[in-house]
Amino acid sequence: MGRVGNAPVRVGVLGCGNVGAALVELITRDADVIASRTGVRLEVGRVAVRNVAKERAVQLPEGTLTHDAEAVVSDPGIEVVVEVIGGIEPARMLILQALKAGKPVVTANKELLANVGGELFEAAAAAGLDLLYEASVAGGIPLIRPLRESLAGERIRRVMGIVNGTTNYILTRMSEEGASYTEALAEAQSLGYAERDPTADVEGFDAGAKAAILATIAFGRHVVAGDVYREGIAGVTAVDIAFASRLGYVVKLLAVAELVDDRVAVRVHPAMIPSTHPLAAVRDSFNAVFIEGEAVGELMLYGRGAGGMPTASAVLGDLIDAAHNLRAGGAGRSVALSRARVCPIDELSSQYYLSIEVLDQPGVLAAIGTVFADHGVSIRSMEQVGMGEEAQLIFITHTARERDVQTSLHELRHLDVVERVGTVLRVIGPE
Ligand code: HSE
C-alpha cells in the first residue's frame, strides 16, 4: 500500500470488552509501525463503553470514553466505526447508522452477520462502503480475506472447519485423558473457555453462525444461521471417543459447507475424522479451516479462534484496509448476495457411527439388522461393548443416505430390545 495522506484516520470503537480493549491497546502502541508499513495512521477517536468509570489498562485522553454509542457513530470527527459489542441490537442499528453517515464499518459480530447480515451488506453495497468482518469467524485466523480475495476465482468444493475452541478443548481432553464430557466441560469452564451456561458452544450455535458466514463467502450466496443443520457434542461419550480412536479416527465438532449440484449444504455436528487428516491435529482450543478447491487443491488455515488479542489482530487488519480504502477514495467492496438454495441434510450421504444401547439377549442383532436392511443401510462392522445392562452395539455403516439412517433410528427407538439410541457420528473420509 502506498502512502495515502498524513492525516490520521480517527476510529470510533463501539464496545471495550476483551476485543475492544485489545484493539485500542494495539492501535495506541503500534500507530507508528502501522503508519510506516501501510501508509495509514490510525488514531482512537472515541470509545463507547458501558461503564465510563471502570479502571482500564490503556490510558486514553480525557473525553475519549463515553457511554453514548450513537454519539460516537454520529461524531463528524469519526471516520471509521468498529463494532465489538456483540449481539444483534443495538449493534445492527448502530452499524446501519454508521453506513448511512458514510462511514465504513468493521465488525467481529458473527451472530449479527449470520442472522441479519443480508440487510447490512445491502446497506453497505448501496452506500459503496466497506463492511469488513474478518474477526467474526475463527478469531485471529485470516480466513475471510483469503476466501474473499485470494480465492475469489476459485471453485470451492467444500469448507470444513473446527471453528469453536471450547468444544475442541473439551473433545481434546476427552480423547487424550479419557475424561468424561462432564469433567472436560467443568475444566473448560474453570479455564474460562466455556461460559457458565455453555449452550452456545456445546450445542453448536456458535459454530453454526460461523458456518453460515463461511458458506456465504465460499459459495457467494447468502446463507443464514437458520439454514445450518446443527447438532452439539453433549451426547458424545468417552466410549465413542475410545472406539473411534481404536479405528484410527478422532472426534471433532465440524462445521461443513459444500456445494451439492447448485445448492449449499451446511451443517455442524460431531464427526469422526481420520487421525491422518490435517484437522485431526488441531488440539485444545485452537481452530482451523480446511478448504478444498478445484484448482488450488487442499488448504488449511490454523490458529487462535478466540481471545482478545488474536481477535483484535483480525479487526486491526480490517481497520487498516477500510482506512486505506477511505483515504485512497476507493469504493467499498461490499456486495449484496442473493439467497442460497439450501440442500437439506436428509439428502446427503455419509458413513455413520451408531451406538445403540440394547438388551443383551438372543435375537437382538437380527431384529436391529432387519431394520437397517429394510431401509437399505448396509453395515460395515459391528461390535458389542459391555454386557448385560451395560450392553451397547456399535455399528459403522457403509455410505448411506441421511434420510435412510434417520428412518432406521426412528424405528429402532420403538423396538422392545432397544433401550436407547445413543451417539450418531458422521464419518468423514474415504470408505
Ligand atoms: N466461544 C467461542 C469459542 C469463541 O469457544 O471458540 C467466540 O466465538
Side-chain angles (χ1 to χ4, degrees), residues 198-212:
T199 310
D201 290 319
V202 301
E203 294 302 337
F205 290 101
D206 175 82
K210 293 166 178 168

Side-chain angles (χ1 to χ4, degrees), residues 2-21:
R3 183 158 294 282
V4 283
N6 291 324
V9 173
R10 297 188 80 230
V11 182
V13 184
L14 310 178
C16 201
N18 279 347
V19 178

Side-chain angles (χ1 to χ4, degrees), residues 110 136 163-167 193 195 201 206 210 285 287 305-306:
K110 61 188 169 275
S136 65
V163 292
N164 183 270
T166 305
T167 46
Y193 293 139
E195 317 254 338
D201 290 319
D206 175 82
K210 293 166 178 168
S285 62
N287 283 197

Side-chain angles (χ1 to χ4, degrees), residues 13-57:
V13 184
L14 310 178
C16 201
N18 279 347
V19 178
L23 177 70
V24 168
E25 188 184 329
L26 287 177
I27 297 176
T28 313
R29 192 190 72 189
D30 294 340
D32 288 343
V33 179
I34 294 167
S36 67
R37 271 169 59 176
T38 69
V40 170
R41 177 167 290 279
L42 298 174
E43 188 179 295
V44 177
R46 298 184 77 184
V47 182
V49 294
R50 226 176 320 177
N51 178 4
V52 177
K54 189 175 154 185
E55 192 81 20
R56 297 185 192 268

